[in-house]
């Protein structure tokens, strides 16, 4: 199976977690896009969706799925999203698509986080994929110096502006042995909006696409 076929398989499997007549939170990226396309087939059985990015909002609306502002929502049973890396403790690195801040906010509201990934994303230790950090533009150089002190090599994702009007630093060369501690530490740097470690609020379920089928990690 190709990587896209694996992504499609986990996206379809995630439909089992969508609750009838309720809202579903939707992530960002190519795997989330496959989920949105699959969700379109059951759009009459859900109330609507909450989007984690403008790209996701547009794709949902393109399928005729009603998108709710998160501020109108006090109960979100499930959030479905991809990841750049995940470990067996369900800690993730996210933000390859630059949507990490809104993803983290929607995930924080959701009761259940269902992570959908192909098997290439499952790693023993996070860090091979550069860690995205969303930064207020004024603070870019300051935050980069602080991240270098933590042992990483930050690289400015030039030409990219987040949906929130901020910048992304991709931090290379980190071996993230304690994701919860590093997530907390990076959040303390003045000028950081959010970082791509999703460890304090890990996934609850991981649907892993393998050539032999979809495995569920809980
Ligand atoms: C976007 C994300 C994505 O979930 C992550 O980059 C995985 O993307 P893809 O499904 O395209 O591999 O965090 O900000």
């Amino acid at each position: 199976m190709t990587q896209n076929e694996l992504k499609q398989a986990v996206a379809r499997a995630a439909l089992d977690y969508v609750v009838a007549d309720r809202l579903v939170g939707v992530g960002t990226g190519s795997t989330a896009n496959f989920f949105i396309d699959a969700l379109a087939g059951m759009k009459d059985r859900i109330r609507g969706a909450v989007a984690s990015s403008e790209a996701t909002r547009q794709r949902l609306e393109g399928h005729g799925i009603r998108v709710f502002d998160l501020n109108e929502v006090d109960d979100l049973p499930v959030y479905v999203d991809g990841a750049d890396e995940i470990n067996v403790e369900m800690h993730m690195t996210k933000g390859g698509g630059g949507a990490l801040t809104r993803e983290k906010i929607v995930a924080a509201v959701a009761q259940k986080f269902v992570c959908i990934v192909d098997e290439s994303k499952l790693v023993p230790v996070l860090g091979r994929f550069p860690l995205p950090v969303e930064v207020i533009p004024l603070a870019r150089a300051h935050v980069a110096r602080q991240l270098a002190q933590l042992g990483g090599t930050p690289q400015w994702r030039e030409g990219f502006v987040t949906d929130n009007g901020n910048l992304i630093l991709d931090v290379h060369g980190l071996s993230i042995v304690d994701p919860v501690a590093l997530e907390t530490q990076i959040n303390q740097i003045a000028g950081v909006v959010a970082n791509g470690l999703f460890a304090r609020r890990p996934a609850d379920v991981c649907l892993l696409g393998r050539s032999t089928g979809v495995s569920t990690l809980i």
Side-chain angles (χ1 to χ4, degrees):
M1 281 171 99
T2 65
Q3 193 180 29
N4 274 344
E5 285 168 339
L6 296 177
K7 289 181 179 187
Q8 226 163 355
V10 290
R12 285 204 203 100
L15 293 180
D16 288 346
Y17 292 84
V18 175
V19 182
D21 301 321
R22 304 281 291 280
L23 295 172
V24 53
V26 184
T28 298
S30 58
T31 319
N33 282 345
F34 283 125
F35 174 70
I36 295 167
D37 297 346
L39 189 66
M42 60 176 292
K43 67 179 177 187
D44 297 332
R45 281 181 278 148
I46 58 169
R47 191 170 157 228
V50 174
S52 62
S53 65
E54 287 305 308
T56 288
R57 183 184 59 74
Q58 282 173 20
R59 198 174 184 100
L60 286 161
E61 288 180 344
H63 281 299
I65 297 170
R66 184 169 170 204
V67 177
F68 288 72
D69 185 305
L70 187 62
N71 289 306
E72 300 172 57
V73 171
D74 54 14
D75 186 30
L76 189 62
V78 65
Y79 175 67
V80 179
D81 198 358
D84 298 303
E85 288 185 338
I86 185 164
N87 65 19
V88 289
E89 288 166 295
M90 308 276 200
H91 301 144
M92 296 161 284
T93 299
K94 292 183 45 53
L100 61 150
T101 300
R102 293 190 186 194
E103 291 172 341
K104 206 173 257 198
I105 295 167
V106 182
V109 175
Q111 282 151 35
K112 185 177 281 183
F113 187 139
V114 177
C115 180
I116 49 174
V117 287
D118 66 84
E119 61 188 344
S120 70
K121 308 286 185 72
L122 182 65
V123 297
V125 179
L126 303 178
R128 195 184 49 197
F129 190 92
L131 176 65
V133 180
E134 181 164 349
V135 176
I136 299 285
L138 171 76
R140 175 174 53 83
H142 166 68
V143 174
R145 285 190 293 270
Q146 299 295 308
L147 292 169
Q149 280 188 14
L150 295 178
T153 305
Q155 197 170 13
W156 176 20
R157 202 182 293 182
E158 285 195 66
F160 183 87
V161 178
T162 70
D163 285 345
N164 313 306
N166 297 314
L167 308 177
I168 298 282
L169 294 171
D170 292 303
V171 190
H172 297 251
L174 292 170
S175 175
I176 305 173
V177 289
D178 189 343
V180 174
L182 188 64
E183 180 179 359
T184 307
Q185 203 172 5
I186 294 175
N187 283 343
Q188 305 310 313
I189 302 172
V192 167
V193 178
N195 72 79
L197 282 171
F198 285 55
R200 291 160 53 93
R201 197 275 181 252
D204 301 296
V205 177
C206 175
L207 300 177
L208 190 66
R210 305 183 197 264
S211 48
T212 48
V214 176
S215 309
T216 305
L217 311 182
I218 297 179

